[in-house]
């Protein structure tokens, strides 16, 4: 059998006889490929990728002429006639690449191996390529990005891949140039829309968001958004003539412009960062649209104050909104939960908003505690609310998302919560209705991707936007529940398990079946072989909707048991359990085959993003005692969670361990079963992880596990964990105590001159000593404090710092699964600082839970035996040294060694409140033990001297602990202990404790006063 000869088209592409015949061959190939999946596979096998790459790389400049063509607004026909054969060939090759990529994820590996994407990206520069070529390249790149999203693999970072090549200075500059174009021509507006869509689809990692923010792309998007604001202002009365003068350099958006794509790209970049959100809100383009005060050029206050004073004027932006009365809304909505989630502290702002939200076990974006004043607000908030009310479908959804990001970053004033509850939340919930229909007059999108159908986008992202908005606000959750959110979300979750539609296209028959392991081949033959099939668009949509709905359900269950009960009553628990089933290679292949039955759909498994969201929902529901003892037990929650603890993805392990924290509490009916299954060993292994969040969750779970456990289980737990490791994670000053995290090969000077020793990698992958103090005092370590207050008797959330919806941080309001290449940009210093601050916060949380682990080891019955065991394993003197170090202020260098002076050589950092509380409780339990241990504690004069100032601490819990220490030290067990008890009372008086107690008699907290009265009474009896 002879080998078939090379087709004439391919021969012409490889060795063209003339430019004209090459163009004719490309057109013939294009016509043969479009709409014919089997022909696409055949041509890939024949090796068409290499000649396409060569043609795309055929470029001879001429950019200035083409740039003049765009600005000169030549008609389309004229531009088409002036294109050379070289340009036409590149145009046809661009279209062919887009057609091949439209075949799905299987075509991405050969295109990537053939270096097509660098050549395709070279056509993006609007000053070097014709407008039609730029538009064609953007369309093809968007098609490629869609197929990458459908891939089952987690990354696309190989050499020649789209993400590897796109996030470079040259190509990001091209994107900025496209976005900055001011022409109102249709082709230019299409370019802008598709450039924004490309950003949305490819920006998937934090590093990529930082690159876009500091490379000028975010500023370019802000300028595009300002053009829509100008258009809105033009449709209403302007504020005044002076305001209009500042807008002269801002073009006005037309009906050809698409606001939704701009908002979507902006939200993608600024998500998960208050810094980027603030950078966007205070972009220079907005200073023209919203003039600032001349007296205070860095404040929005003046213009917004003017708007507020002229609320009834047609010139005010607030006049675009309906008048609202928040009194009825506030009545009855500020009730607190019996079990407030971690991070909920006293006061309005802190009760309503926490600095953590929802993402992988869930981690919502780090935000500041909401503390805006009545006037401290960017007018952009008002304009976005107007857009949400005036627009519909996707534009409304994206505007609400950007508004939520601004609100969570603290750029809105306090009175906005009532406005959001009455105007925004009902609209988002309405989008979740099964009978929701898009308006017929909606402008068509320039992005015709199957993955970005408006109805799909709404079903996938409306629940996520709702989750981010209400996650840490009781009032907004109440508004969502009253609007029927729980019922609609439950219906959507069940709908995500409905049978998928049958496949409409079959692959080309081959004598040998194509078997793909989901990995791209790196040899030269990969340019002519297809990769893994990936998900079908329908399956991808279902998974994205499932993830989004699970996140929203978790956000509804963070505060109130009645909402958890409502979720369970809607019958979603079995579907949550199904969502905890991981995807296997076989199930991934099943998702590629869309001819699925209902049973097959529920057994296909879930990708990592859905697993993380399901863990968040399971953890939120398990915070209820009643559901933990009934519905979750009956549904069999423990088994799939135990499997996820050993998942190869570290984020899944973190999320699963977060749920386990609630399952090992003393009243959990699953506690004994999972202990017998070997949870102790797994948690101890995870506690040794280099991942800070996994280490935190594991120690937290162990703390719950040993509470009220038998002494034998406690000893086994400490033995498995390792006494040395326990000392290591709670010891802050490693040099003083001789416990190093890793090899100390050297030190480096920080920007402030403080030596930062090398050790274990932190969350950012940098080699730093996680256990050493840094210059700045962390303000984010207080998120876990509330749980400890009720931990002994109440059901509480088990995860504090990772709390609430660790799904939205990874939250892929615009899902993605690729990693970006390393890129140096001006934000390097800020990135290093953020990483150091996060590492410090994670370290403090781990230290706190390590101390609480010791606290629970030495409490309960037979505590005396456990205290002696702890002294033997950790070392009696060493334990007291560590406790003393926790109470001692940290001293760090304030300036580099060559700039020190007598007045500013050192800086004192007080201990963290959470650490103080944990140490004080350990002392309380030691003092509550046998007389022998009381005598041992009273002999620690240096340690007790550091306790005395804590009687005046600002935390009522710390002051209460101090009173309890005195009560336990002066308690007389029997007559034989009375002499020693008097000695202890005299020692306390010598330390000045009695005077401190007298000061606490007028303490504003009732609990402190009552404990103080008992302590004073006992001391008076002994000192008589």
């Amino acid at each position: 059998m002879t080998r078939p000869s090379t087709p004439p088209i391919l021969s012409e592409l490889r060795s063209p006889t003339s430019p004209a015949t090459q163009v004719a061959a490309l057109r013939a190939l294009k016509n043969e490929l479009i709409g014919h999946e089997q022909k696409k596979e055949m041509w890939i096998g024949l090796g068409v990728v290499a000649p396409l790459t060569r043609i795309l790389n055929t470029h001879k400049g001429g950019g200035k002429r083409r740039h003049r063509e765009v600005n000169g607004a030549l008609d389309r026909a004229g531009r088409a006639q002036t294109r050379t054969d070289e340009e036409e060939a590149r145009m046809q090759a661009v279209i062919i690449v887009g057609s091949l990529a439209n075949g799905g994820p299987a075509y991405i590996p050969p295109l990537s191996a053939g270096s097509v994407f660098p050549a395709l990206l070279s056509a993006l520069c609007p000053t070097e390529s014709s407008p039609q070529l730029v538009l064609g390249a953007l369309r093809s790149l968007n098609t490629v990005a869609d197929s990458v999203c459908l891939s089952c693999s987690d990354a696309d970072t190989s050499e020649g891949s789209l993400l590897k090549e796109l996030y470079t200075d040259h190509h990001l500059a091209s994107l900025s140039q496209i976005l900055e174009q001011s022409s109102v021509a249709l082709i230019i507006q299409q370019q802008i829309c598709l450039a924004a869509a490309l950003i949305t689809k490819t920006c998937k990692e934090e590093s990529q968001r930082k690159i876009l923010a500091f490379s000028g792309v975010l500023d370019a998007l802000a300028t595009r958004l300002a053009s829509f604001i100008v258009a809105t202002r033009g449709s209403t009365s302007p504020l005044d003539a002076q305001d209009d003068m500042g807008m002269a350099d801002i073009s006005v958006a037309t009906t050809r412009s698409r606001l939704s794509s701009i908002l979507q790209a902006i939200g993608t970049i600024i998500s998960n960062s208050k810094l980027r959100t603030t950078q966007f809100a205070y972009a220079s383009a907005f200073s023209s649209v919203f003039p600032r005060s001349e007296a205070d050029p860095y404040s929005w206050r003046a213009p917004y104050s003017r708007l507020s004073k002229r609320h009834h004027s047609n010139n005010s932006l607030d006049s675009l909104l309906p008048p609202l009365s928040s009194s009825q809304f506030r009545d009855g909505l500020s009730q607190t939960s019996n079990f407030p989630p971690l991070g909920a502290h006293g006061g309005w702002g802190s009760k309503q908003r926490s600095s953590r939200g929802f993402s992988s076990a869930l981690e919502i974006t780090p935000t500041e505690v909401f503390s805006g004043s009545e006037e401290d607000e960017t007018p952009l908030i008002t304009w976005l609310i107007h857009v949400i009310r005036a627009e519909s479908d996707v534009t409304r959804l994206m505007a609400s998302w950007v508004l939520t990001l601004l609100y969570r970053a603290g750029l809105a004033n306090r009175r906005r919560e009532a406005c959001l509850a009455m105007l925004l939340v009902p609209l988002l919930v309405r989008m979740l209705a099964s009978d929701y229909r898009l308006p017929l007059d909606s402008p068509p999108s320039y992005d015709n991707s199957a993955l970005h159908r408006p109805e799909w986008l709404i079903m996938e992202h409306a629940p996520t936007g709702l989750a981010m908005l209400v996650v840490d606000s009781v009032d907004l959750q109440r508004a969502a529940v009253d609007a029927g959110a729980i019922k609609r979300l439950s219906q959507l979750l069940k709908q995500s398990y409905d049978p998928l539609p049958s496949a409409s296209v079959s692959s080309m028959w081959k004598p040998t079946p194509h078997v793909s392991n989901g990995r791209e081949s790196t040899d030269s033959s990969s340019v002519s072989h297809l990769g893994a099939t990936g998900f079908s668009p329908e399956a991808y949509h279902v998974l994205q909707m499932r993830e989004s709905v699970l996140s929203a359900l978790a956000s509804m269950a963070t505060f109130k048991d009645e909402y958890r009960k409502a979720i369970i009553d809607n019958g979603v628990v079995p579907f949550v359990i199904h969502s905890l089933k991981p995807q296997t290679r076989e199930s991934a292949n099943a998702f590629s085959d869309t001819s699925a039955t209902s049973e097959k759909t529920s057994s296909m498994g879930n990708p990592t993003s859905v697993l993380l969201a399901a863990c968040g929902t399971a953890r939120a529901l398990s915070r209820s005692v009643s559901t933990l003892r009934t519905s979750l037990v009956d549904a069999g929650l423990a088994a799939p969670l135990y499997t996820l603890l050993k998942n190869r993805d570290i984020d899944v392990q973190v999320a699963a361990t977060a749920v386990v924290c609630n399952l090992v509490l003393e009243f959990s009916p699953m506690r004994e079963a999972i202990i017998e299954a070997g949870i102790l060993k797994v948690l101890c292994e995870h506690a040794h992880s280099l991942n800070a969040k996994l280490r935190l969750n594991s120690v937290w779970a162990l703390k719950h596990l040993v509470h009220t456990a038998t002494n034998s289980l406690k000893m086994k737990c400490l033995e498995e964990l390792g006494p040395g490791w326990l000392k290591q994670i709670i010891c802050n000053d490693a040099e003083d105590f001789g416990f190093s995290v890793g090899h100390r090969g050297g030190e480096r000077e920080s920007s402030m001159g403080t030596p930062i020793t090398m050790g274990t990698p932190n969350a950012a992958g940098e080699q730093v000593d996680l256990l050493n103090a840094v210059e700045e005092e962390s303000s984010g370590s207080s998120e876990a404090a509330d749980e400890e207050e009720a931990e002994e008797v109440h059901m509480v959330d088990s995860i504090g710092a990772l709390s609430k919806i660790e799904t939205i941080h990874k939250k892929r309001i615009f899902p993605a699964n690729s990693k970006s290449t390393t890129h140096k940009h001006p934000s390097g210093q800020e990135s290093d600082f953020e990483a150091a601050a996060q590492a410090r916060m994670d370290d403090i949380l781990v230290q706190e839970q390590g101390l609480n682990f010791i606290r629970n080891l030495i409490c309960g019955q037979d505590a005396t035996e456990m205290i002696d065991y702890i002294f033997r394993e950790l070392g009696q003197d060493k334990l007291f040294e560590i406790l003393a170090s926790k109470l001692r202020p940290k001293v760090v260098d304030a300036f580099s060694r060559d700039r020190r002076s007598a007045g500013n050589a050192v800086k004192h950092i007080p201990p963290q409140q959470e650490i103080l509380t944990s140490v004080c409780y350990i002392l309380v339990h030691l003092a509550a033990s046998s007389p022998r241990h009381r005598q041992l504690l009273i002999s620690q004069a240096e340690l007790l001297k550091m306790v005395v100032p804590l009687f005046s601490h600002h935390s009522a819990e710390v002051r209460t602990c101090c009173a309890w220490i005195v009560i336990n030290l002066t308690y007389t067990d029997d007559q034989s202990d009375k002499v020693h008890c008097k000695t202890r009372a005299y020692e306390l008086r010598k330390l000045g404790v009695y005077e401190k107690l007298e000061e606490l008699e007028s303490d504003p907290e009732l609990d402190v006063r009552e404990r103080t009265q008992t302590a004073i009474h006992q001391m008076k009896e002994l000192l008589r």
Side-chain angles (χ1 to χ4, degrees), residues 374-644:
E374 282 300 311
E375 295 182 350
D376 239 351
E377 176 180 273
T378 165
L380 193 58
I381 298 286
T382 306
W383 182 80
L384 286 171
I385 295 176
H386 165 67
V387 170
I388 292 169
R389 297 186 67 249
E391 299 292 338
S392 58
D393 55 72
V394 179
T395 303
R396 170 181 288 173
L397 178 62
M398 299 309 160
S400 67
W401 184 39
V402 175
L403 173 62
T404 300
L405 293 173
L406 294 172
Y407 177 66
R408 291 190 60 82
L411 299 177
N413 61 46
R414 294 184 178 184
R415 65 184 176 85
R416 283 299 179 199
E417 184 159 312
C419 181
L420 297 179
M422 288 186 275
L423 296 182
L424 177 55
V425 172
L427 291 177
L428 288 175
V429 175
R430 189 185 307 166
M431 289 183 176
L432 304 177
S434 57
D435 58 349
Y436 181 77
R437 294 292 181 268
L438 297 176
L440 298 178
D441 58 348
S442 298
S445 172
Y446 298 138
D447 182 10
N448 297 321
S449 165
L451 295 182
H452 290 75
R453 302 175 191 171
E455 59 273 17
W456 281 14
L457 283 175
I458 290 173
M459 289 299 100
E460 293 171 13
H461 304 317
T464 305
L466 182 65
M468 180 183 290
L469 182 64
V470 309
V471 58
D472 49 7
S473 170
V474 178
D475 296 347
L476 293 178
Q477 286 180 17
R478 177 68 173 271
V481 172
D482 289 347
I486 291 179
K487 180 178 180 181
R488 293 179 179 179
L489 289 169
S490 302
Q491 291 172 346
L492 287 178
L493 181 59
K494 297 174 184 177
Q495 181 181 328
S496 72
Y497 281 94
D498 288 345
L500 297 175
S502 300
S504 57
V505 178
S506 58
S507 60
M508 183 176 178
W509 178 88
K510 291 180 292 185
T512 57
H514 171 69
V515 179
S516 174
N517 58 3
R519 301 177 182 175
E520 297 181 9
S521 174
T522 58
D523 58 27
S524 60
S525 64
S526 60
V527 296
S528 57
H529 287 81
L530 299 184
T533 308
F535 296 119
S536 67
E538 292 79 8
Y540 181 81
H541 163 65
V542 163
L543 293 175
Q544 296 306 308
M545 183 176 69
R546 185 180 301 170
E547 174 195 353
S548 182
V549 170
L550 287 168
S551 300
L553 288 173
S555 72
M556 298 291 174
T558 54
F559 284 94
K560 291 181 173 290
D561 261 358
E562 61 182 283
Y563 298 161
R564 300 186 190 104
K565 186 176 184 301
I567 292 172
I568 292 171
D569 290 344
N570 275 275
V572 302
V573 173
F575 297 95
V576 174
I577 303 302
H578 278 308
S579 300
L580 292 171
K581 181 180 179 181
Q583 175 183 303
T584 61
R585 184 173 302 171
E586 292 74 17
S587 62
N589 293 334
F591 256 130
S592 303
D593 178 14
T594 56
S595 57
T597 63
S598 178
E599 294 75 19
K600 189 175 180 181
T601 304
S602 62
S603 63
M604 283 178 178
N606 301 275
T608 298
S609 58
V610 177
L611 295 178
L612 298 177
C615 285
T617 306
R619 196 183 79 215
L621 294 178
S622 65
R623 294 186 66 242
S624 168
V625 179
S626 58
T627 60
L628 188 59
R629 288 178 172 173
T630 54
S631 303
L632 296 181
V633 175
D634 296 340
L637 174 62
L641 271 179
Y642 190 81
T643 302
L644 294 182

Side-chain angles (χ1 to χ4, degrees), residues 768-807:
V768 296
D769 187 342
L770 299 183
L771 303 183
N772 279 330
V774 295
E775 294 86 344
E776 296 296 326
E777 180 181 358
S778 172
S779 62
S781 59
S782 61
E783 299 173 9
D786 290 275
E787 179 183 44
E788 304 303 318
E789 299 176 1
E791 174 181 355
E792 303 279 346
V793 292
H794 295 304
M795 171 63 178
V796 288
D797 187 286
S798 306
I799 284 301
L802 306 176
S803 179
K804 302 199 187 120
I805 306 182
E806 265 178 23
T807 5

Side-chain angles (χ1 to χ4, degrees), residues 11-13 15-26 54 85-86 89:
S11 299
E12 181 63 32
L13 294 180
S15 303
T17 56
S18 68
T21 57
Q22 180 178 255
V23 170
L26 287 168
R54 180 186 56 78
D85 287 337
E86 174 200 317

